[in-house]
Amino acid sequence: MIPLIRTLEMTLLDTLELTPLIEALIFAADGPIKAERMAGALEIDQNEIMLAIEALREDYAEQPRGFFLQEVAGGYQLRTRPEYADYLRKLGHSRPFKFSRPALETLAIIAYRQPVTRAEIEYLRGVDSGSVLKTLLEKRLVRILGKKDVPGKPMIYGTTREFLELFGLPDLSSLPTLKEFSELLPGDENEVYTERLPLLVNDDIIEDDN
Amino acid sequence: MIPLIRTLEMTLLDTLELTPLIEALIFAADGPIKAERMAGALEIDQNEIMLAIEALREDYAEQPRGFFLQEVAGGYQLRTRPEYADYLRKLGHSRPFKFSRPALETLAIIAYRQPVTRAEIEYLRGVDSGSVLKTLLEKRLVRILGKKDVPGKPMIYGTTREFLELFGLPDLSSLPTLKEFSELLPGDENEVYTERLPLLVNDDIIEDDN
Amino acid sequence: MSNFDIQLENFEGPLDLLLHLIKKHEMDIYDIPMTAITEQYLAILDAMKTINLDVAGEFLLMAATLLHIKSKQLLPKIVEEDQEEEEDDPRAELVRRLLEYQKYKEVSQTLDSRPQLNREIFARVAPEPEVLEDTESGFVAVGLFDLLEALQEVFKESQEPHAHEVNLEQLSVTDRINAILSSLQGKESIAFVDLFSGGLKRNEMIVTFLALLELVKLRMVRFMQNTHHGTIWLFPAVALDEMDAQDSVDDTLDPNVGDDTFGYS
């Protein structure tokens, strides 16, 4: 790195001081950031910014870094070196377990209403829940408990041991009640829901899963 | 760059080659990334990762950079240096949490006393804490851990990974030490520090995601 | 104007107020003069009433506690064998609470003085995930709070009377797609919820939702969200004038969409 020390009195920050600051601004920006925008925020001349960017570029060229400075869409952005793409993609795939809203709703209904049929879930949610249910089954958060002894013999669903593990619960009776949750809200507009819950939870529903 | 070609068959990448790759992985991750996760993606030993992280840390210490490597929430993340805060805020991509005093107090109580019930929080604070608790839950700084096995089965609360991230803590044992007692005389600085911390920390308290 | 109001704003609760009084009057916390502190405390409550502040129940409860402790102190001591020595002093529990509260009050300030993410320290902003692109693996990290919240939403929704008959003739996914596209015309984005405003019936909502899914499938719109539970925005994925070149949306639609999805009712 070549230190470009300027003697100009006008500037508050010389390039050496400015360079890491510019690096921070580019690093933290939510997209490519323009030199003029940085100049505006720092209230200095745009030329100063350009010198710092140049210093940064030289710095990155000199020693191996994981990223490089790219001029893109009229601004600057730090980007990872293309040769690392495979590793980065690999990392992207091992993401933590995440849920879509429909999946979460369906899971919540199953957890609190089990044993429950698909029709009951769909009645509560007001939408078809077949594919969400399938995903939950695949992820082993939900399982088929058996068939309900009513006409049509629909399948009934419940949660699994994996579900308990995911939420860090020792057993189903540890599921918090909606009542206490509603009590966190000021006012009593939520009282309507409390009487519907919690549904009694049969402990032996999960027993045979172990 | 000096290419250090290693003859050892076991390792694919030596530390010098590995360091920029680790930098890229940490850079590109959407949050703090664990060493074991990187080890998994690269299919190498975790010790190799730790060596690279150490090299990276030394590298950042040697020359001024805009960011530094912080150990946070059990992983590693690049973060801008605090002295640049004003400039970065000016650029407007900051939506900092604005904590009220009640929220901070409640959060502190939960952090140090977890697992803790709402009643315990309220006894300690002397005021109703339902709405503050709800705000903290919504901001994902606090989570429901389950229910306490006492009559009434109250919900128990603990802090989240996001809490650690927000305050830049590697884990709960890094929380600032509680001062056991301080003189209440005005302006008196005689404070007695004691090591009465941290309360046992259950790994699964922060294990929920990542 | 009383000079009390500024102060009162700053008290978190009765414990906070008591700590303030102890400090201000240089009292010994281990030997609190009950008469003095009770007087001070009640004076503040009176002041609160004079300036029409609602005195919260917690403050009144503490007033009662203080008076109770004071009266116990006045009674001749009856030595009870079972009681621990510490408990002989009726102030013991209050002192314990005050010390405990002070501890957390202080540490919360210490915590707040640490460099905070997005306040003093910034991390790289990861690219925004595109909502609904990857529906099943989703984008929301989940906890029990989310589960409860989702459940509450479901029950809130199902509070309204259910319409079991769906009048298929009135609703067409294709029409709804065209309506959404025309409302996007000339705009950068629309809020997701706006598409559901205006007192839509449940079945109209479903059709709207299906229309949106179809638009996403056709890559004609994108959904973006800035934060967890933040507003979901709908963006045209291609410039709308380019889209006009396509004569009609109808041709590209899966003709079965509406029927299949209504099968449940």
Side-chain angles (χ1 to χ4, degrees), chain B residues 47-203:
Chain B
N47 289 333
E48 309 266 340
I49 307 281
M50 294 315 293
L51 283 174
I53 285 173
E54 218 25 74
L56 210 53
R57 211 198 288 279
E58 277 168 34
D59 180 31
Y60 289 166
E62 235 167 74
Q63 52 173 168
R65 297 239 73 95
F67 38 79
F68 66 105
L69 188 66
Q70 189 168 45
E71 193 180 343
V72 57
Y76 297 88
Q77 190 173 35
L78 296 178
R79 292 180 164 198
T80 59
R81 282 162 53 187
E83 55 263 45
Y84 299 144
D86 287 344
Y87 298 112
L88 285 159
R89 263 200 294 268
K90 234 168 164 177
L91 276 172
H93 36 69
S94 112
R95 265 161 278 142
F97 281 115
K98 286 232 172 68
F99 283 109
S100 64
R101 268 183 62 196
L104 265 174
E105 274 179 23
T106 307
L107 188 58
I109 290 171
I110 296 170
Y112 286 88
R113 302 281 290 230
Q114 61 189 303
V116 64
T117 66
R118 177 178 164 186
E120 286 160 357
I121 297 165
E122 292 179 343
Y123 184 72
L124 278 169
R125 294 192 58 225
V127 286
D128 181 277
S129 306
S131 64
V132 178
L133 197 51
K134 185 170 176 276
T135 309
L136 293 172
L137 282 161
E138 279 168 356
K139 291 194 169 168
R140 299 174 161 269
L141 297 171
V142 159
R143 66 190 196 102
I144 303 162
L145 301 175
K147 290 201 289 184
K148 198 172 180 172
D149 198 13
V150 294
K153 302 246 176 204
M155 288 203 264
I156 43 176
Y157 302 91
T159 51
T160 60
R161 188 172 51 79
E162 284 86 341
F163 164 78
L164 296 176
E165 285 183 30
L166 188 69
F167 291 99
L169 298 164
D171 49 47
L172 285 177
S173 66
S174 318
L175 277 168
T177 310
L178 272 187
K179 297 171 191 170
E180 194 57 46
F181 167 71
S182 77
E183 284 294 330
L184 288 159
L185 298 177
D188 197 326
E189 299 297 322
N190 301 344
E191 281 153 353
V192 183
Y193 293 75
T194 49
E195 292 278 325
R196 215 214 91 193
L197 249 198
L199 357 149
L200 78 155
V201 168
N202 216 329
D203 254 358

Side-chain angles (χ1 to χ4, degrees), chain C residues 171-215:
Chain C
L171 301 162
S172 139
V173 175
T174 311
D175 288 348
R176 197 66 190 127
I177 285 175
N178 287 323
I180 291 167
L181 286 179
S182 57
S183 56
L184 260 178
Q185 199 97 41
K187 282 184 201 160
E188 202 175 86
S189 60
I190 331 180
F192 178 79
V193 287
D194 288 351
L195 294 168
F196 294 89
S197 59
L200 291 186
K201 289 198 197 91
R202 179 177 288 266
N203 51 359
E204 289 169 329
M205 288 187 185
I206 293 168
V207 169
T208 302
F209 194 67
L210 289 173
L212 287 172
L213 288 180
E214 196 59 25
L215 282 168

Side-chain angles (χ1 to χ4, degrees), chain C residues 18 21-22 25 27-28 31-44 63 65-75 90-91 94:
Chain C
L18 284 175
L21 292 174
I22 290 168
H25 298 287
M27 296 168 179
D28 178 0
D31 188 19
I32 303 171
M34 287 314 296
T35 310
I37 205 163
T38 308
E39 273 172 19
Q40 293 289 341
Y41 186 89
L42 293 176
I44 301 244
T65 309
L66 293 175
L67 290 166
H68 181 67
I69 294 171
K70 207 176 108 180
S71 68
K72 266 176 110 176
Q73 276 187 312
L74 295 174
L75 290 174
R91 298 171 298 183
L94 181 65

Side-chain angles (χ1 to χ4, degrees), chain A residues 99-149:
Chain A
F99 282 97
S100 66
R101 198 79 194 161
L104 197 56
E105 276 184 17
T106 308
L107 188 59
I109 293 169
I110 296 171
Y112 281 91
R113 291 255 153 152
Q114 60 188 303
V116 64
T117 67
R118 177 176 163 183
E120 285 159 357
I121 297 164
E122 290 178 345
Y123 177 79
L124 282 169
R125 291 194 58 222
V127 285
D128 180 275
S129 305
S131 69
V132 180
L133 199 51
K134 189 165 163 276
T135 310
L136 292 173
L137 283 163
E138 279 166 2
K139 300 210 161 153
R140 304 177 56 86
L141 294 170
V142 158
R143 66 196 191 96
I144 299 162
L145 300 174
K147 284 185 179 171
K148 200 171 180 174
D149 199 12

